[in-house]
Amino acid sequence: MAKKMSSIIEAFIKIFTTENILFMLKGARISLLIAICGTGMGIVLGVIAAILKISRNRFLNLIGGLYVEIIRGTPMLLQLSFFYLGVPALYQQLTGNYWSAPALLVGIVAIAINSGAYSCELIRSAINSIDKGQWEAGMSIGLSRNEIMKEIILPQSFKRILPPLANEFIVLIKDSSLVSTIGVVDLMKSSTILGTKYYNYFVPMIGTAIVYLTLTLITSKLTSIMERRLAESD
């Protein structure tokens, strides 16, 4: 047993050199970039989809509903593959020309679209939770429906959904690992590369798990601090 533990420790020392640690941290930076961009773009898409879903126009309502149901009803891995492989294939069939987008860009866009569908329901619920008197107050001073939404409803809604959106960011940090399947050298892909290089996947995976856990714990702590401050400001 002691001999086996010694060999594992030796493997850790051999694999986790300064160069390899920096390589993994570079992958972690890519994972964070994807999560940050995905969350930011997802919020924008979520707001648009939420407004479409509560619209009095049936056509717009249908578009918003279809977007949410299709994205939430299909796996993110399928969505990544669709944008990375399916869309270029369709473009080639229609035009006869080859086209391929950078894998990182595809990963960010696909994750943002996925995040937008989930953020939509959070935002829609927050909008619906605002007292109707806010709408009446806005109309009483001559604001249009769009102006009331922009100046009164959305600012209050965002304050209510900031903690859930922070949790969505935590989810995206972990889900960003899926982009490794389309060739993006994120944290997950970097551990796979090191595993292949040293013929040892156990040690790099343990290191990867530690980094993911550190990122999510830090984000969770910051979310808790934000929730307390928001509660104090109410």
Side-chain angles (χ1 to χ4, degrees):
M1 183 69 179
K3 189 175 181 180
K4 290 181 179 179
M5 287 300 297
S6 177
S7 64
I8 293 175
I9 293 172
E10 288 176 3
F12 269 92
I13 295 172
K14 179 181 178 181
I15 294 175
F16 289 122
T17 62
T18 301
E19 181 182 357
N20 289 340
I21 290 173
L22 291 174
F23 178 64
M24 291 189 70
L25 290 178
K26 183 179 179 181
R29 186 177 64 182
I30 296 297
S31 295
L32 273 177
L33 173 66
I34 293 170
I36 292 170
C37 294
T39 302
M41 294 167 64
I43 290 172
V44 175
L45 292 173
V47 170
I48 295 172
I51 292 174
L52 291 178
K53 288 199 71 174
I54 64 175
S55 172
R56 295 176 180 176
N57 185 304
R58 289 187 177 182
F59 178 70
L60 296 179
N61 192 278
L62 176 63
I63 292 176
L66 283 175
Y67 164 63
V68 172
E69 293 303 323
I70 290 173
I71 297 301
R72 293 183 64 176
T74 55
M76 186 185 292
L77 182 57
L78 173 63
Q79 295 161 22
L80 276 167
S81 300
F82 173 78
F83 286 110
Y84 187 65
L85 301 173
V87 172
L90 177 62
Y91 177 82
Q92 188 172 14
Q93 287 182 349
L94 293 176
T95 65
N97 299 317
Y98 176 78
W99 171 79
S100 178
L104 178 59
L105 177 62
V106 172
I108 291 173
V109 169
I111 285 179
I113 291 173
N114 185 277
S115 176
Y118 287 91
S119 298
C120 167
E121 292 305 298
L122 295 174
I123 296 168
R124 185 176 65 86
S125 298
I127 290 174
N128 289 335
S129 70
I130 302 298
D131 189 89
K132 291 183 178 179
Q134 301 284 341
W135 289 93
E136 295 170 358
M139 287 186 286
S140 69
I141 59 174
L143 296 178
S144 67
R145 183 176 174 85
N146 290 337
E147 289 173 333
I148 295 171
M149 177 67 74
K150 178 183 176 182
E151 303 295 337
I152 300 175
I153 303 302
L154 284 179
Q156 295 183 65
S157 300
F158 272 114
K159 185 177 180 181
R160 298 186 180 188
I161 63 171
L162 276 177
L165 286 178
N167 290 327
E168 172 69 10
F169 176 68
I170 293 173
V171 171
L172 288 187
I173 290 176
K174 295 179 290 184
D175 286 350
S176 66
S177 61
L178 290 172
V179 301
S180 63
T181 61
I182 59 173
V184 177
V185 185
D186 66 330
L187 179 56
M188 186 66 191
K189 187 69 173 180
S190 65
S191 69
T192 305
I193 292 172
L194 290 178
T196 303
K197 180 180 178 180
Y198 292 96
Y199 301 100
N200 185 331
Y201 289 93
F202 174 78
V203 173
M205 292 297 177
I206 292 296
T208 300
I210 292 172
V211 176
Y212 274 121
L213 186 59
T214 301
L215 292 175
T216 55
L217 286 176
I218 291 173
T219 307
S220 296
K221 183 64 177 178
L222 292 175
T223 302
S224 298
I225 294 172
M226 180 178 61
E227 288 177 345
R228 285 199 298 270
R229 291 187 176 180
L230 288 174
E232 291 171 359
S233 65
D234 287 337

